[in-house]
Amino acid sequence: MSALARDLAPLVLAGVLGTAGAGKLFGRGTARQAPRTALARLLRDGGRAALALRVLGAVELLLAAALLAGPVTPLPGGAVAGGVAAGAAAALLGAGFLGYLLYARAAAPDGTSCGCTARHDTPVTWRAFVRAAAVLVGGVAAALAQQPWWTAAGRRPAAALCLVLAAAAALTALSADPDRRWRMPLRRLRLRITGHPLAATGARTEAPLAATGARAAVPLAASVELLERSRAWQSVSRVVRSALLDHWDDGGWRILQFAGVYGGGGPAARPVLVLFAVDAGASLETVREPAVRVSVIDADSGAPVLATA
Amino acid sequence: MSAYRTGDPLDRRRFLTAAALHGATVVGATALGAVDADAAFAAPMRPLDPAVAESAFAEGRITAINDDVLAVAGSYGDHSRVRVTGATSVWKARATTAADIETGDGLYARGVPLPDGTLAADAVWVNIVNLHATIRGIEKTRLHLAHGRHEIVGNLMAETTSAAYGTASPTADLSGLTIGQSAQVLGAWRPSDGSVDLVRVAVAPGAGRRR
């Protein structure tokens, strides 16, 4: 099995380098991403970093092609010169990636994109290190391959297929943004199968309507929104100083309590409570002209104060 | 005024309800300035009454609480002292009292500067956060949110958490939230575990129709 894995390494490695290289060379995001990568910090210029990423993409594509093409000249020992060169180059590339990642980690511990796949703005994580190490190991294995990958695959097609699929799955799991690729689709699927976990909140707001014919109480936020757009609010807004102090429902009314100052800023100023009563079932959705009751009472005595401010 | 003076909060509420319902009824709609949690992020409110001193603001983390004075270390290295009175509104995911304020909480306060250097707070918003996030997961009691590169757990609170779909009024119906939606999230941060108690989740219009 290990011999098969070694002989198939060029194929898998070509797949990895081919995708990453094509992304860097042809991806529209490369120029946009480059200034945010650690490479830009290393080269001290975003434009140079973009160029370097594109060149690296081209090199990766060339390596992928060389790995796919396999041996050019069979050597007496059985090793294949073309494959050895491409494998060694890929191993060097993997070692270079590892070094670059270590630099990126040291230069910008949190946040800098590695630019590894030039697609998403992904920070340097353990996944990037594992990917680079995989390229290094794959390169060494490809250099040590004893026969072309198609010969090895032809001899044991089923095992080869399983091996390639497993490698592809592992590499996908290591891809830069697992959330975007599979965690969110899986969660969406679960919701589709098990139903929306918050569906009951929708039933709660609609049930009392049907059962009693009366309007169900709306969320407090809807009542406050209704109040703040009402003429009642306008008439006493200069008295109100606090945000919402307290609120409660009583007999279909929702009472909203604020604190305020009445009588200007001089010695005659008195602390007051400003009370609003709104329909507990009304919101801007259901009422165009809300009827709001307003009371201003003295905070110390509880005596009503005329709201003529 | 015996009911007003009594210490029993239910009696007091009963009295205030009667007072509110005897008040003048005003009908009509107009757009005006707000004092709800959103206002904490709005431009400073200019009082209409020239006799009232212009509002001052303080923000930061509460480093100490001495009776009714909160020592606040600002985000930019400044320090302030905020005085909370019986007339100060306190918001911590919901309207509450000063007893709920703890050392270590974040604070945003609006009030009037006093000669002794303290800020007499009219309104205090504790641990308020207002951020743009993407919904990454939905469970019965919480939402998973992504804010930039940060994963945030948003706790759903019965009777409090509301959803706003587009420009529609806030509703308790959260069944229209879907994974992948962008959302403006208003809530209270919990310093103990870094999660956010969700007060309002506003998503794009029509987004709630999809499932």
Side-chain angles (χ1 to χ4, degrees), chain B residues 2-74:
Chain B
S2 60
Y4 182 72
R5 282 277 168 220
T6 178
D8 183 352
L10 278 180
D11 281 351
R12 187 179 155 83
R13 280 189 171 179
R14 214 168 290 141
F15 172 83
L16 293 175
T17 301
L21 295 180
H22 282 116
T25 305
V26 187
V27 181
T30 178
L32 286 151
V35 292
D36 60 12
D38 279 331
F41 298 98
M45 201 166 77
R46 282 181 179 277
L48 300 172
D49 188 341
V52 177
E54 204 164 312
S55 290
F57 296 84
E59 62 78 35
R61 291 288 287 275
I62 298 167
T63 54
I65 303 175
N66 301 313
D67 296 327
D68 57 352
V69 177
L70 314 173
V72 179

Side-chain angles (χ1 to χ4, degrees), chain A residues 113-160:
Chain A
S113 167
C114 70
C116 314
T117 55
R119 240 168 290 164
H120 300 303
D121 194 10
T122 45
V124 178
T125 61
W126 63 270
R127 285 194 180 85
F129 281 95
V130 175
R131 276 200 311 271
V135 171
L136 173 61
V137 172
V140 171
L144 296 176
Q146 295 294 317
Q147 54 187 337
W149 60 267
W150 56 85
T151 316
R155 282 189 191 147
R156 296 167 69 187

Side-chain angles (χ1 to χ4, degrees), chain A residues 242-244, chain B residues 34-41 57 89-92 106-110 122-128:
Chain A
S242 77
L244 187 64
Chain B
V35 292
D36 60 12
D38 279 331
F41 298 98
F57 296 84
S89 62
V90 179
W91 182 99
K92 195 173 183 179
L107 163 146
Y108 192 90
R110 171 171 58 77
D122 289 321
V124 169
W125 290 273
V126 180
N127 292 337
I128 189 165

